Each structure stands twice: as structure tokens, then as C-alpha cells.
Amino acid sequence: MSIAKAFATTTPTTEPTSGNLGDSAPAGTKSVSDFVTVQSLTNFAAMTGAISAAWGGAQRLWNPLHGQWFPFTLCALFGLVSLLASRPGDPALDAQGTPLAQQTSPLVRWLQPSFIAAVNVFVLYGAVVGATAAVK
């Protein structure tokens, strides 16, 4: 199994941001990244701890990092990396190599994961700030 397969799931070609099918996906599905899916909105326990720890360590190294912008910047970088790792693929093609009918436009294929990534950034930021406040 390749590293790329470890971070991907299958999804219907009509719903590229849903990762509900698992490994036994029927025909008409494709592999998409697990980073930017609707399900990833609640999958932040590891990143919350990592960013909280990085924020705490950075505050000890340099006093100006006590503000709220540093963890937000780390969360935004995570969102950007997630979006780039989950960039939409090319349109699905039929057996003759022509695009299948009724596919979303490239703009929509970028807007959906971009919106989910933006929501993920704010959810992760809220979790980091809340977890840090709860520990203090």
C-alpha cells in the first residue's frame, strides 16, 4: 500500500467531498483525500494537541507569541496544506476519454473543498483556544 492510499478514501463521483463509501466501493466511485471531506470537520484531536503544544512552546521561546494570531496562523497553514493535499482531480472520463455529463465545473470543484477547509480552520482554531484555556 502506498502512502497516497493511506490518506484517501473512495467517494461517488457526483459527491467528491463525501468519504462515506469505505474500501468496498462500487463502480462509479473515485479515490479522494481524507483531509478535506465533510467528515474531517470533527477529526481534529491530533492537530488540536499538536498546535496547542506548538503554541505553548513558541510562547516560552518568544514572548510576542502570546497573542491569538499565532495559533490561528498555524490552523490556517494546516487548512491550506489540507486543501492542497485534497485538490480536486480532473473530471471523470468515460471509456472513450470524453468527460462524463453533468459534472460540476472546475470552479465548483475548488469552492467545495475551499469552504470545507475554511470551516475546518475555524473549528480547529476554536478547539485549540478552548483546549488551551481549559488546561490553564
Side-chain angles (χ1 to χ4, degrees), residues 70-93:
F70 184 70
F72 181 77
T73 303
L74 292 178
C75 294
L77 285 173
F78 173 75
L80 179 64
V81 168
S82 298
L83 178 63
L84 293 176
S86 303
R87 66 188 177 278
D90 296 328
L93 304 176

Side-chain angles (χ1 to χ4, degrees), residues 39-54 75 78 120 123-132 135:
Q39 292 80 7
S40 68
L41 288 171
T42 58
N43 191 17
F44 289 110
M47 285 310 299
T48 300
I51 290 176
S52 297
C75 294
F78 173 75
N120 288 343
V123 170
L124 180 59
Y125 175 70
V128 167
V129 171
T132 305
V135 172

Side-chain angles (χ1 to χ4, degrees), residues 8-88:
T9 189
T10 52
T11 183
T13 54
T14 57
E15 295 182 59
T17 56
S18 177
N20 284 329
L21 292 180
D23 291 332
S24 59
T29 60
K30 67 178 184 175
S31 179
V32 296
S33 172
D34 280 331
F35 285 110
V36 180
T37 63
V38 175
Q39 292 80 7
S40 68
L41 288 171
T42 58
N43 191 17
F44 289 110
M47 285 310 299
T48 300
I51 290 176
S52 297
W55 185 22
Q59 288 174 350
R60 294 187 190 282
L61 292 174
W62 194 36
N63 197 31
L65 296 178
H66 281 276
Q68 302 292 316
W69 284 107
F70 184 70
F72 181 77
T73 303
L74 292 178
C75 294
L77 285 173
F78 173 75
L80 179 64
V81 168
S82 298
L83 178 63
L84 293 176
S86 303
R87 66 188 177 278

Side-chain angles (χ1 to χ4, degrees), residues 5 47-48 50 56 98-99 103 118 126 136:
K5 286 195 173 235
M47 285 310 299
T48 300
T98 58
Q103 292 189 60
K136 289 185 179 180

